[in-house]
């Protein structure tokens, strides 16, 4: 197991105490009922865990992604992989902190840290996916503000958020003839903003939405940083997104392997624990090795990001490794349980689609391989 620093060990223990009061059964019941995990979220906020990575002057704990990754991993290790924990306050909080005005930071970051306000991330579109270069949602100048038109797709938690951080293309071309991107904070109750839920097989509290912007009027205070600098700004949230998605995957892996090892020690067939058979123990041991390597990669990526170094390669590698390792660990845990692995009572199979989602989002494994091939191996670009 990865050796935590004393500080991280205490943080993991504190989060674990909250997580134990809820557990996977609570998480799954709320998800199946279409509910939310507001009580858990409020307790995490009150304990200072949602803002552990944000500056103290804005209500945070003054730590970094290394600390926040511990929080999300530990929750997932108790069977509660919170997708919203990656989005708000991580992606949107990071962008607001690094590029928002001081007024915007004061307005949003303390509430995010306390768990009283949420902000979803609206980048992906039906015809562009997460390719920010192909975004078609447009911000047209209107006096001192803008009017937004367009559609966003697969926006997590739009129904439980106070605002959306929207990536939009400028309506007027810049000096180069291109239409640059800008970022806006748009209240979810803004006139002309409409959401439509997307039906998925995910057993998670966070719902997915298509968001329609029908001539949505926003004022100058909605702009993050400078107009036309959105492409650079959005990357402030992408590396944290990858690193924290890896943390979720690692937590799912730990949850699955813990349940498998316990079952393999206790379940007896022909007067011997099934874990005494190499056909059971070796696949679990191999899965454990893969998980620990993924956790090391994730810790390294967070360390690079927190120290201000280029974390792009490490973040992509961590996300890739953790997603693959979690699917292998979860699959082997289900196999170890036999038919019980598919029983709702054992709380394993319902996590399959979450683990599978993290192999595709927030960046697909194919795009990670493209990145590594081009930037790490210096091979010709394939896209």
């Amino acid at each position: 197991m990865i050796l935590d620093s004393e500080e991280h060990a205490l943080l993991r223990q504190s989060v674990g105490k909250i997580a134990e009061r809820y557990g996977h059964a609570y998480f799954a019941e709320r998800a199946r009922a279409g509910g939310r995990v507001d009580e858990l979220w409020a307790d995490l906020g009150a304990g200072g865990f949602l803002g552990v990575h944000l500056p103290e002057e804005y209500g945070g704990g003054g730590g970094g992604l290394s600390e926040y990754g511990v929080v999300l991993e530990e929750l997932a290790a108790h069977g509660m992989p919170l997708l919203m924990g990656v989005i708000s306050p991580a992606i949107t909080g990071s962008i607001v902190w690094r590029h928002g005005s001081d007024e915007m930071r004061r307005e949003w970051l303390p509430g995010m840290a306390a768990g009283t306000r949420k902000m979803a991330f609206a980048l992906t579109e039906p015809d562009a996916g997460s390719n920010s270069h192909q975004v078609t949602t447009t911000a047209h100048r209107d006096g001192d503000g803008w009017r937004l038109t367009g559609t966003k797709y697969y926006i997590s938690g739009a129904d439980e958020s106070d605002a959306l951080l929207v990536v939009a293309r400028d309506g007027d071309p810049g000096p180069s003839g291109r239409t640059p991107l800008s970022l806006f904070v748009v209240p979810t109750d803004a006139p002309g903003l409409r959401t439509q839920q997307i039906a998925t097989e995910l057993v998670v509290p966070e719902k997915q939405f298509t968001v329609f912007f029908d001539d949505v009027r926003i004022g100058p205070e909605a702009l993050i940083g400078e107009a036309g600098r959105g492409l650079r700004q959005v990357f402030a949230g992408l590396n944290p997104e990858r690193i924290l998605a890896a943390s979720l995957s690692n937590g799912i892996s730990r949850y699955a392997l813990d349940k498998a090892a316990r079952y393999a020690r206790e379940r007896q067939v022909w007067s011997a624990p099934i874990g005494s058979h190499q056909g059971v123990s070796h696949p679990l041991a191999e899965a454990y090795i893969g998980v620990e390597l993924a956790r090391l990669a994730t810790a390294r990526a967070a360390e690079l990001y927190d120290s201000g170094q280029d974390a792009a390669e490490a973040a992509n590698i961590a996300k890739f490794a953790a997603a693959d390792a979690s699917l292998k660990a979860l699959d082997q845990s289900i196999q170890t349980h036999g038919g019980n692995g598919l029983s709702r009572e054992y709380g394993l199979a319902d996590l399959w689609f979450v683990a599978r989602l993290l192999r595709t989002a927030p960046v697909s494994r194919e795009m990670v391989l493209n990145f590594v091939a081009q930037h790490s191996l210096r091979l010709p670009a394939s896209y």
Side-chain angles (χ1 to χ4, degrees), residues 54-252:
L54 295 174
E56 293 182 53
E57 62 185 302
Y58 298 110
L65 287 192
S66 297
E67 287 70 38
Y68 191 57
V70 168
V71 173
L72 292 187
E73 182 191 297
E74 198 60 29
L75 289 168
H78 284 78
M80 298 182 290
L82 294 181
L83 300 180
M84 203 64 195
V86 175
I87 299 163
S88 177
I91 305 172
T92 54
S94 295
I95 293 174
V96 168
W97 170 32
R98 291 180 178 272
H99 297 289
S101 65
D102 190 55
E103 181 180 356
M104 182 179 285
R105 292 170 185 159
R106 287 196 304 270
E107 179 184 357
W108 284 100
L109 296 184
M112 287 187 183
T116 58
R117 304 194 82 184
K118 296 178 185 177
M119 184 186 296
F121 187 47
L123 168 62
T124 53
E125 296 187 357
D127 297 321
S130 57
N131 182 357
S132 55
H133 297 282
Q134 298 298 320
V135 164
T136 59
T137 297
T138 304
H140 301 274
R141 288 279 185 177
D142 181 28
D144 62 349
W146 291 265
R147 289 189 177 275
L148 281 177
T149 58
T151 304
K152 296 293 182 180
Y153 194 50
Y154 273 99
I155 307 306
S156 302
D159 62 324
E160 56 183 291
S161 297
D162 303 284
L164 306 178
L165 196 159
V166 180
V167 182
R169 186 164 298 283
D170 288 5
D172 300 314
S176 65
R178 298 179 179 178
T179 51
L181 302 178
S182 296
L183 270 57
F184 302 93
V185 175
V186 183
T188 50
D189 61 358
L193 190 156
R194 181 170 59 87
T195 61
Q196 179 178 311
Q197 187 174 340
I198 301 170
T200 74
E201 298 296 341
L202 293 171
V203 184
V204 292
E206 299 89 353
K207 304 175 186 68
Q208 307 296 316
F209 291 89
T210 302
V211 181
F212 303 93
F213 300 93
D214 184 11
D215 207 27
V216 176
R217 177 70 167 84
I218 51 177
E221 73 285 350
L223 177 68
I224 295 180
E226 299 178 37
R229 302 296 297 275
L231 186 61
R232 181 176 65 88
Q233 295 164 357
V234 79
F235 278 98
L238 296 187
N239 284 333
E241 183 181 38
R242 286 155 171 70
I243 294 168
L244 296 173
S247 297
L248 286 188
S249 291
N250 291 334
I252 292 171

Side-chain angles (χ1 to χ4, degrees), residues 257-380:
L257 289 178
D258 178 69
K259 291 180 77 69
R262 189 184 311 123
Y263 190 83
R265 288 191 298 265
E266 297 172 355
R267 171 70 168 162
Q268 292 201 11
V269 178
W270 294 296
S271 302
I274 62 173
S276 65
H277 302 295
Q278 291 177 352
V280 173
S281 64
H282 281 190
L284 289 176
E286 186 176 348
Y288 177 87
I289 290 170
V291 170
E292 290 305 300
L293 289 173
R295 294 182 71 207
L296 285 168
T298 306
R300 177 57 176 159
E303 179 184 43
L304 287 172
Y305 181 86
D306 289 341
S307 64
Q309 300 181 65
D310 184 359
E313 180 188 68
N316 277 286
I317 289 173
K319 190 271 176 188
F320 182 100
D324 277 8
S326 75
L327 278 170
K328 184 174 182 178
L330 183 56
D331 185 69
Q332 195 57 49
S333 182
I334 292 171
Q335 188 70 15
T336 299
H337 282 76
N340 285 334
L342 301 178
S343 168
R344 183 173 292 186
E345 175 188 351
Y346 285 81
L348 284 168
D350 59 2
L351 287 175
W352 174 260
F353 285 108
V354 186
R356 185 61 184 81
L357 166 69
L358 291 168
R359 203 182 193 202
T360 300
V363 60
S364 70
R365 70 193 310 273
E366 290 77 18
M367 288 305 295
V368 171
L369 293 174
N370 282 337
F371 180 94
V372 171
Q374 181 179 344
H375 297 281
S376 304
L377 300 176
R378 300 180 183 177
L379 299 177

